[in-house]
Amino acid sequence: MKILLNGYKGRMGQAIVAAAENAGAEIAAKSDVGEPWTREQVAACDAAVDFSFHEATPALAEICAETGTPLVIGTTGHTPEERARIEAAAKKIPVVWAGNYSVGVNVLNWLVGKAAALLDSSFQVEVVEMHHRHKKDAPSGTAAKLISLVENARGLDASAERHGRVGLVGERSRDEIGVHSLRGGSVVGDHTVIFAGEGERVELTHKAESRAIFANGAVHAAGWVVGKAPGIYGMEAVLGLDA
C-alpha cells in the first residue's frame, strides 16, 4: 500500500513513518507545511494521511477529491471555513476524520457516550486533558469529541461548556460541562471524564504513553478507508464500534 503523508516532519509524522514501515506499507510521498502537493503525487498513492496544520488540510482534501484518493485526517483545530471545505471534498471521497486514532481512546469515547446516557444530570461532567507544552490548540481534538458525546447524550449544546473557571463564577449548574486543558512537559496525551454525583464519582481515563498508538491507528485507518463510499467516517467505524 502506498501512502501519501502530509506533515512528515512533526512528531506524529515521524511516528507514522515508523508505523507504516512496521505494517509493510510504503510512504510513497511526503511533505510538510509550505510544501505544496501536485495532482500527480496524490494520484499515485492509495491513500493520503494528514497530520500537519489545520490551514494545510483543506487544500490536500480538495486535491484528493479531484484524484479520488481516500484521506485520513488527524490534524485538529480547523476553522469553520476549513471544515466546510473538507466536508465538501468528502462528498466525493471517503475520509476518516478523528481527533484520536488510538484503540483505547475510541473505546473511551464509546464508554463516555454510554455513561453520559445512563447517568442523569445529578452526575455533573468535567473533562480534563493534558498534553505537551508544544501543542497549539485547546481543547484537544479528543477532548472535543468527548464533550460532544456528552452533549449529544444529554441533549445539550456548546452553550453548556465552561472552559476553565476564575473568580466568583457562582454555583455550578447541573448541566454545565467543565473543560480544562493542561499543558506542560512532554505529556503525549491524558484524558479524563469525571461524572461527579452526590457521594460517588465515576472517572473514565485514558493515558497515552507513546505516539506509536496513534500512528498505528492512522495507518490501519488508511488501509481500511480504501474502497469505502464517499463520506466522513470516525474511528468508531474503522474499529466496528458503531455496529
Side-chain angles (χ1 to χ4, degrees):
M1 178 180 182
K2 293 184 177 181
I3 295 174
L4 176 151
L5 176 58
N6 199 36
Y8 80 97
K9 292 181 181 179
R11 295 175 181 83
M12 274 304 303
Q14 291 300 301
I16 289 169
V17 170
E21 182 178 350
N22 291 338
E26 175 189 357
I27 301 296
K30 58 185 180 180
S31 182
D32 210 79
V33 177
E35 302 172 1
W37 291 106
T38 67
R39 195 178 188 279
E40 292 71 26
Q41 285 175 308
V42 178
C45 294
D46 299 305
V49 176
D50 176 61
F51 275 85
S52 58
F53 190 62
H54 67 87
E55 293 178 343
T57 311
L60 175 60
E62 288 162 355
I63 297 176
C64 286
E66 292 176 10
T67 61
T69 306
L71 175 62
V72 174
I73 301 173
T75 305
T76 59
H78 297 101
T79 66
E81 187 272 336
E82 290 164 349
R83 292 186 67 88
R85 288 172 63 189
I86 297 167
E87 289 165 357
K91 294 178 181 178
K92 299 179 180 179
I93 56 170
V95 176
V96 178
W97 195 356
N100 195 302
Y101 282 85
S102 87
V103 172
V105 160
N106 283 280
V107 172
L108 174 66
N109 289 343
W110 187 85
L111 292 170
V112 167
K114 295 294 185 184
L118 291 169
L119 302 173
D120 64 21
S121 61
S122 65
F123 285 81
Q124 289 87 59
V125 181
E126 299 282 308
V127 178
V128 182
E129 56 100 345
M130 184 170 186
H131 285 80
H132 54 86
R133 69 183 184 87
H134 301 289
K135 188 168 178 61
K136 295 179 176 61
D137 58 314
S140 68
T142 300
K145 174 68 173 179
L146 294 167
I147 294 163
S148 71
L149 288 166
V150 174
E151 290 172 348
N152 291 340
R154 294 192 170 183
L156 304 172
D157 58 28
S159 65
E161 298 168 21
R162 176 66 67 90
H163 292 265
R165 297 185 181 89
V166 64
L168 297 173
V169 297
E171 183 176 316
R172 187 197 198 283
S173 71
R174 289 163 66 97
D175 287 331
E176 182 177 303
I177 301 174
V179 184
H180 311 280
S181 296
L182 314 182
R183 296 289 179 267
S186 58
V187 178
V188 174
D190 295 351
H191 295 86
T192 296
V193 181
I194 303 164
F195 295 86
E198 295 296 326
E200 60 181 334
R201 186 168 71 248
V202 176
E203 297 185 5
L204 298 171
T205 296
H206 177 272
K207 297 192 175 194
E209 299 177 356
S210 168
R211 288 184 178 82
I213 62 173
F214 311 124
N216 292 338
V219 171
H220 176 66
W224 178 90
V225 75
V226 174
K228 295 298 185 292
I232 295 175
Y233 301 88
M235 274 298 281
E236 297 88 352
V238 176
L239 298 173
L241 295 174
D242 63 349

